[in-house]
């Protein structure tokens, strides 16, 4: 009996460690999320995760194990592929590397999916064959079960406002993104609306991943400073800008505030702007839920490169 119990304990330890490393998004208590700053503050985030070194170390190992093989393959290409590589072979190789990168980013979760999405609209940075693959990240996020999403909405909006949305167990999301998902519904007063709800527990995981990206950027910048001191540093500022933008997307009240400001500016603007720009009206907003009028449109990632460059 003791030997069996010992074997079970030995088996449980690595399983628990792996679960802690890969399942952080799901197990981080929501109460801790409320302790995180509403606006991105790198120092506050670092202090928050210094008090949780095991979680931070486990996640860092998970990221390294997932992205390491992808990075190694890209480095090998740089060292072994000649400048005379045929265009067809080059495109196939880039697509292959992009597929591996896409799959790695999806497996790492929301912050890394968001990073890939940011790259997917940068034809000036990413080669065209790889760009096509990375654009799939805009549709690569599995939806949270509707029961979970509706529970979040009810908690955020309150029972009365939630009931007015006419959402139920049979409701299906029309889109699922890295940070949340959207439902289309008709309210009790006949209004066609989009209801966006945040993934439960996502803020804690995103804050950790962004903090780790910041640590990596500081390391890279330090190495560059030692190897090429004349080069102007930019890694930390680039990651900080991305982190501030990604973190801001988790605050739906802030998004609603910006949307109201933009709508007022458009309505007060020239007639040409009023005719060509539509900003949906905000109907309700909390930190994790947003209800706006429904409008039809196209994804930016699917726009023509010339349109993206113009924007």
């Amino acid at each position: 009996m003791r030997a069996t119990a010992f074997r079970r304990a030995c088996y449980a330890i690595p399983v628990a460690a792996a679960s802690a490393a890969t399942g952080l998004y799901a197990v981080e208590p929501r109460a801790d999320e409320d302790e995180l700053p509403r606006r991105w503050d790198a120092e506050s985030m670092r202090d928050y995760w210094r008090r949780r070194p095991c979680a931070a170390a486990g996640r860092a190992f998970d990221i390294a194990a997932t992205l390491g093989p992808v990075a190694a393959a890209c480095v090998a290409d740089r060292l072994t592929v000649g400048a005379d590589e045929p265009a067809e072979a080059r495109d196939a190789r880039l697509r292959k590397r992009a597929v591996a990168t896409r799959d790695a980013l999806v497996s790492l979760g929301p912050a890394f999916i968001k990073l890939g999405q940011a790259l997917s609209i940068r034809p000036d940075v990413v080669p065209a064959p790889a760009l096509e693959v990375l654009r799939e990240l805009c549709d690569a996020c599995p939806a949270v079960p509707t029961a979970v999403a509706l529970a979040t909405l009810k908690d955020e909006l309150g029972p009365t406002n939630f009931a007015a949305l006419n959402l139920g167990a049979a409701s299906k999301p029309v889109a699922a993104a890295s940070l949340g998902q959207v439902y289309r519904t008709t309210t009790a007063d006949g209004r066609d609306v989009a209801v966006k709800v945040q993934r439960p527990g996502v803020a804690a995981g995103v804050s950790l991943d962004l903090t780790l990206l910041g640590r990596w950027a500081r390391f890279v910048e330090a190495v560059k400073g030692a190897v090429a001191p004349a080069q102007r540093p930019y890694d930390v500022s680039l990651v900080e800008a991305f982190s501030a933008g990604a973190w801001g997307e988790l605050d739906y009240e802030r998004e609603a505030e910006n949307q109201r400001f933009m709508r007022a500016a458009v309505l007060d603007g020239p007639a040409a702007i009023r005719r060509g720009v539509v900003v949906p009206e905000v109907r309700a907003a909390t930190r994790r839920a947003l209800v706006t009028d429904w409008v039809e449109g196209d994804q930016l990632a699917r726009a023509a490169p010339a349109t993206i460059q113009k924007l």
Side-chain angles (χ1 to χ4, degrees), residues 21-63:
T22 61
L24 179 64
Y25 285 21
V27 302
E28 185 70 18
R30 180 173 172 178
D32 284 346
E33 290 187 0
D34 294 331
E35 298 174 13
L36 296 168
R38 297 290 289 263
R39 294 180 181 269
W40 179 255
D41 184 335
E43 186 58 39
S44 296
M45 294 297 187
R46 287 195 291 269
D47 288 342
Y48 181 90
W49 290 109
R50 284 192 194 106
R51 299 192 296 271
R52 296 158 176 81
C54 292
R59 182 59 175 169
F61 176 82
D62 188 33
I63 293 170

Side-chain angles (χ1 to χ4, degrees), residues 139-296:
D139 302 306
C141 305
V144 169
T146 289
V148 176
L150 296 188
T152 301
L153 281 171
K154 187 174 183 179
D155 183 51
E156 290 290 314
L157 299 174
T160 301
N161 292 331
F162 171 74
L165 294 176
N166 289 327
L167 290 170
S171 301
K172 303 293 183 183
V174 295
S178 56
L179 305 180
Q181 59 198 51
V182 176
Y183 292 84
R184 182 178 184 177
T185 186
T186 302
T187 62
D189 59 359
R191 193 180 304 277
D192 196 17
V193 296
V195 181
K196 183 162 73 168
V197 56
Q198 196 171 114
R199 293 173 179 269
V202 72
V206 169
S207 70
L208 175 54
D209 284 350
L210 295 178
T211 299
L212 293 174
L213 283 174
R215 290 180 182 176
W216 173 253
R218 290 193 298 278
F219 169 74
V220 170
E221 203 163 274
V223 171
K224 287 182 177 179
V227 176
Q231 182 176 345
R232 182 180 178 181
Y234 65 88
D235 301 274
V236 172
S237 60
L238 183 65
V239 170
E240 281 298 298
F242 169 74
S243 298
W247 186 249
E249 292 186 33
L250 284 166
D251 190 342
Y252 291 175
E253 287 180 324
R254 182 180 175 189
E255 180 179 340
E257 179 184 343
N258 292 336
Q259 193 163 321
R260 291 186 179 108
F261 176 83
M262 185 66 179
R263 178 178 171 81
V266 169
L267 293 177
D268 291 339
I273 297 295
R274 294 198 302 271
R275 287 193 301 269
V277 178
V278 177
V279 181
E281 186 171 352
V282 175
R283 300 297 173 178
T286 70
R287 188 173 184 177
R288 301 178 181 89
L290 178 63
V291 182
T292 69
D293 289 346
W294 178 271
V295 296
E296 300 289 343

Side-chain angles (χ1 to χ4, degrees), residues 100-153:
T101 302
R102 178 204 62 198
D103 293 347
L105 295 177
V106 169
S107 71
L108 287 173
F112 287 90
I113 294 174
K114 181 62 64 178
L115 179 60
Q117 290 172 343
L119 292 173
S120 74
I121 56 172
R122 294 297 303 272
D124 56 323
V125 175
V126 180
L131 201 66
E132 296 173 3
V133 175
L134 290 181
R135 283 176 177 170
E136 296 174 10
L137 287 168
C138 296
D139 302 306
C141 305
V144 169
T146 289
V148 176
L150 296 188
T152 301
L153 281 171

